[in-house]
Every structure is written in C-alpha cells, then in structure tokens.
Amino acid sequence: MIKRIEDYREIVGDEVIHEIFKKAIKFAHKHVVHINSTYQGGGVAEILTSLVALMNDVGIFAGWRVLHGSPDFFAITKKFHNALQGDQINLTAMKKEIYQEQNEYFSRFTHLNHDLVIVHDPQPLPMIRFYRKRQPWVWRCHVDLSNPNPELWDYLKRFILRYDMVVVSHENYKKKDLPVAQRVVYPSIDPLSAKNKPLDKNTIKKYLNKFGIPNGKPIITQISRFDKWKDPEGVLKVFELVKKEVDCRLVLCGNLATDDPEGRKIFERIAQKARNMNDVILILEENNILVNALQSSAAVVLQKSLREGFGLTVTEALWKGRPVVASNVGGIPLQIIDGRTGFLVDPGDIEGCARKVVQLLKDPELGRMLGENGRAHVRENFLVTRSLLDYLDIMSELLC
Ligand code: UDP
C-alpha cells in the first residue's frame, strides 16, 4: 500500500508530522527531480524509494530519473567510487571520455525543466555540463569523501564547481578546497517499508526456511553487496574464531546492484572460500522480507566494512533492536555509540571483532540493552521523516 505521511505519526509523533506539513506548504507544486544510476541495490536506491514517494505525498512534484549506463561506463564509475574512497586509479583520457559521453547522451533525452535538480553520487555528476542551467542543482554525494584520490578529485571538481550545493553524509566529508556551499544530511531508513516493518514469528520462520536457513543455532549475519569494502573475507575469518567458542551459524546475504559490476566476481571468491566451512550460508538475492527476517532474528548483526559512506544496514539492524558489531569507519560511528547502541571495532581487528560477537552470544541481556538504545537512537536521528525535513530546509535555502 502507498504510504501517507500521517502513517508515520505513531512512530515519530504528531509534532514531526506537523512540522513537515508546515515546511512543505511553501513548495506545493514545485518540481524536483532526483537523478541516480540504479533503481535497486545499494543504499541510494533504498533511500529514494521512500523519500520520493513522501515528497509527492506532501505536495511536491518529485520525480526520479535513472541514468542509463553501459557496462563500460559502470566499470569506470565503480573505479571512481573506489578511488574516491582512497584506491589508486589510472585516470586515462579514455575513461574520462566514456564517463562524460554517457552523461551527455543521457542528457539528450532527459529534459530537465524542474525547479530543483538533485544529482546523487558521481555517476551522473557531469550531466550539469550538458544543460543550459536554469535552476539550482545539488550534488548529493553518499560516498566517504574524507580521503579521495587527489587526481580524481581534481578532475571531478571541474563538474562540482558548477553546482549550487553539495550535500554529504558526515561532517568529516565536507571539503575545505571546495568553495561550493556544503551541508550534511544523514541517510535514513523507512520504518514502514517491507524491509523494516515488524514481522511476525511465522513470516520470519517461513522466509528463513524458504532460503535454506535451518533453525536451532544462533545466527550471525552480514547483509551487504558483495564488495571488497564490505570485507566479506574478514567476516569469514571472524566467524571461524567465533565458532570455536560458540556453536552458531553465519549467513552472508548480498545482492547485486546494476551499477556495481564487481559483485559477482567477489561473490564467487567468497563462495570458494566458504565451501569447506561448516554452518556458513551464502545468499545472493534481492528480497526485502528476507533481509528483514534475517535482521530481525539474528543473534548478532555484523558490519565489518573497511570503508562505509554511512551504512544503512547498520541503521536497519539497530531499528530492529538487534545487537550490532561494526567497524569504526565512515558513517558507522554516527550510529553506533560504542557500548551504548552496539559495539565498534577497529576494521583490521579480526580477533577483537570476534571477541565482541562471542560476548553478545553469551550475554543476550546485554544485546537486548544495546538493541533498545540503538532503536531509540535511530528513531531520533535516522528515519525518512527526518531526511524529508532536511531536504525541505535545503529547498528553503535554495528556492526561497
Ligand atoms: N541490501 C539488500 N539486500 C542485500 C544486501 C543489501 O536489500 O542482499 C540493502 C540493505 O538492506 C541496505 C542497502 O542495500 O538497505 C545497502 O545500503 P548501505 O548504506 O548499507 O550500503 P551501500 O550498498 O549503499 O554501500
């Protein structure tokens, strides 16, 4: 069922709903368009699915366009993504040409006469060059920008400088060398989506069963795209250590995003490694209820990322009141206050991570306490209603 903003009253309270209506009235009938590069897989698609619908519900004409990329293009933009998070890159003229050309091509059949254009992430960033600009443009970057490859950053800046505002997910991602206005908007989850709404025990059982997950042992899970920054190999190592102390099962669940060509290769490598391990289940599926069932029933949720823009999977697990052990990187420490809403571990510390998981498996009461605090923290800071308010503030700044 399509959700209405007032459906969130019970979760966020009447004041928040009233504030949204009060702020939104100024923008009734304004046209806003979001542009990104995939409609499914990954956090950006997840956010837009709810945010765009709610923007429409409060009277804004909000649209969502998805850039049409070729496999070549996505191979290059994935390299850009990795290099923005600190990897090396061989930035050839050919890569730049394909990157810009695909954007120019897409702009030919994407007419933008909106009042505000919001471009998500680096893939559609150059589009701005191919329009006679007649409205504010926002670059909403979801990637950790704290330590980008300097050559790539310098190249991308030539496009970013044309924008009216850059929005990032963390205060630390703001760039000193950028004269463009910069704001922080935390990503968010939709508490009423299939992925996050409460599930009854039977549905959880049915879904675990359907995907070949037996019951009887506590489940540790990490749910993430198969991506090197999510460190699935590290998860296997942590599990090996945990398993020596407590009999449990690991479920590594991942999907493939259409704009991420590396996923399948990484999945195959992990499958090869997991072949000789007991009680490791790998799932390569796009299924929101399965993700919900896993997050709702896990004894411990892991997020062993090496880099992380924000980490919506952490938000989702906290919202379900589950104990989370996650790396102290990117946006994760905004969500996990160590010892209060979960446990933070050093990304390279396999043993330390395993120790925390074992501690939680042996002490469910501790897990319950962390989970309760985590849920309250998400309610306060990381729900879609809060993001909507932030975007309304940005619209006030740019359109009034
Ligand atoms: N996700 C999913 N199925 C999977 C793996 C991930 O639906 O098998 C979802 C996950 O629940 C979350 C999003 O993809 O909503 C991932 O967002 P996150 O910010 O954690 O990471 P990103 O993929 O954007 O780096």
Side-chain angles (χ1 to χ4, degrees):
M1 207 171 56
I2 306 268
K3 288 171 301 269
R4 311 299 304 257
I5 193 78
E6 53 270 30
D7 297 337
Y8 295 79
R9 281 178 61 197
E10 256 185 49
I11 297 170
V12 299
D14 288 352
E15 272 175 31
V16 171
I17 303 298
H18 177 63
E19 199 185 346
I20 291 173
F21 279 125
K22 211 167 65 184
K23 286 189 171 169
I25 189 72
K26 282 189 285 189
F27 308 111
H29 310 307
K30 290 282 185 200
H31 289 256
V32 175
V33 65
H34 293 267
I35 304 171
N36 81 323
S37 62
T38 179
Y39 68 91
Q40 69 86 13
V44 181
E46 188 71 23
I47 291 168
L48 289 179
T49 302
S50 300
L51 183 68
V52 174
L54 287 184
M55 279 187 158
N56 277 284
D57 192 51
V58 297
I60 299 164
F61 292 119
W64 176 6
R65 305 276 168 81
V66 176
L67 181 134
H68 304 185
S70 61
D72 277 1
F73 174 80
F74 285 136
I76 291 164
T77 54
K78 181 70 203 224
K79 288 200 171 83
F80 283 13
H81 178 98
N82 290 343
L84 277 178
Q85 304 206 121
D87 259 8
Q88 291 298 316
I89 186 165
N90 179 15
L91 192 57
T92 57
M94 171 90 94
K95 286 196 181 86
K96 293 179 190 171
E97 195 182 312
I98 294 173
Y99 177 53
Q100 288 172 220
E101 226 175 61
Q102 191 80 35
N103 272 275
E104 184 172 10
Y105 169 73
F106 185 61
S107 71
R108 289 280 167 92
F109 51 85
T110 306
H111 301 288
L112 299 179
N113 42 21
H114 302 73
D115 299 294
L116 176 66
V117 180
I118 305 176
V119 169
H120 294 257
D121 278 346
Q123 297 91 337
L125 174 68
M127 273 181 77
I128 193 166
R129 263 190 75 176
F130 306 109
Y131 290 87
R132 190 169 303 139
K133 184 169 169 291
R134 51 169 292 274
Q135 66 281 84
W137 283 56
V138 172
W139 186 47
R140 198 319 176 203
C141 180
H142 298 262
V143 181
D144 177 349
L145 282 182
S146 50
N147 189 24
N149 173 281
E151 190 190 356
L152 178 66
W153 177 243
D154 187 63
Y155 167 63
L156 294 181
K157 259 171 76 174
R158 69 170 66 187
F159 308 112
I160 302 169
L161 290 172
R162 293 174 182 251
Y163 281 76
D164 299 272
M165 185 181 277
V166 171
V167 175
V168 291
S169 300
H170 194 306
E171 204 56 42
N172 298 349
Y173 301 168
K174 286 184 174 171
K175 305 300 295 174
K176 286 207 170 63
D177 63 347
L178 203 59
V180 183
Q182 296 176 66
R183 301 286 174 269
V184 175
V185 172
Y186 296 142
S188 61
I189 59 164
D190 182 348
L192 298 180
S193 68
K195 186 174 284 171
N196 295 310
K197 68 183 184 190
L199 292 181
D200 60 66
K201 283 207 170 87
N202 273 343
T203 310
I204 293 179
K205 224 167 119 188
K206 196 175 100 191
Y207 268 79
L208 296 186
N209 201 16
K210 185 168 151 184
F211 286 92
I213 305 164
N215 50 22
K217 292 184 185 182
I219 292 174
I220 301 168
T221 189
Q222 173 161 305
I223 293 156
S224 278
R225 286 179 297 108
F226 284 93
D227 178 307
K228 66 173 179 173
W229 304 112
K230 308 288 183 184
D231 198 18
E233 292 185 39
V235 175
L236 292 182
K237 288 184 191 152
V238 168
F239 178 70
E240 266 181 336
L241 296 180
V242 172
K243 182 88 172 147
K244 288 184 187 155
E245 301 279 325
V246 183
D247 191 18
C248 56
R249 203 180 313 282
L250 173 69
V251 181
L252 260 177
C253 173
N255 54 2
L256 297 173
T258 50
D259 61 352
D260 177 2
E262 289 178 345
R264 189 163 295 278
K265 257 196 321 232
I266 293 180
F267 173 78
E268 278 157 16
R269 202 168 65 223
I270 296 300
Q272 182 69 28
K273 291 204 167 176
R275 195 156 291 156
N276 300 321
M277 293 173 73
N278 283 332
D279 288 324
V280 176
I281 297 177
L282 296 193
I283 300 177
L284 188 61
E285 287 283 344
E286 176 75 32
N287 188 308
N288 285 331
I289 311 259
L290 168 68
V291 170
N292 191 338
L294 270 171
Q295 288 170 335
S296 302
S297 61
V300 179
V301 175
L302 262 180
Q303 192 59 52
K304 228 217 121 299
S305 306
L306 303 171
R307 299 267 198 290
E308 192 63 76
F310 184 74
L312 282 179
T313 47
V314 171
T315 333
E316 290 158 4
L318 294 177
W319 178 243
K320 291 164 188 111
R322 305 320 301 156
V324 180
V325 178
S327 301
N328 189 3
V329 294
I332 291 176
L334 293 169
Q335 309 184 59
I336 300 219
I337 302 154
D338 191 33
R340 201 159 79 75
T341 66
F343 284 129
L344 280 179
V345 291
D346 188 286
D349 185 5
I350 302 279
E351 280 169 21
C353 182
R355 263 198 308 278
K356 291 296 180 194
V357 176
V358 169
Q359 187 184 355
L360 286 166
L361 288 173
K362 289 185 172 167
D363 186 354
E365 198 42 51
L366 170 65
R368 238 186 316 277
M369 185 273 286
L370 297 176
E372 249 171 52
N373 293 341
R375 183 173 164 91
H377 188 52
V378 171
R379 186 196 307 275
E380 199 62 33
N381 300 291
F382 307 121
L383 295 184
V384 63
T385 37
R386 206 239 50 253
S387 286
L388 180 55
L389 280 168
D390 290 346
Y391 275 101
L392 290 170
D393 286 341
I394 285 171
M395 289 174 73
S396 277
E397 214 174 318
L398 293 173
L399 299 180
C400 292

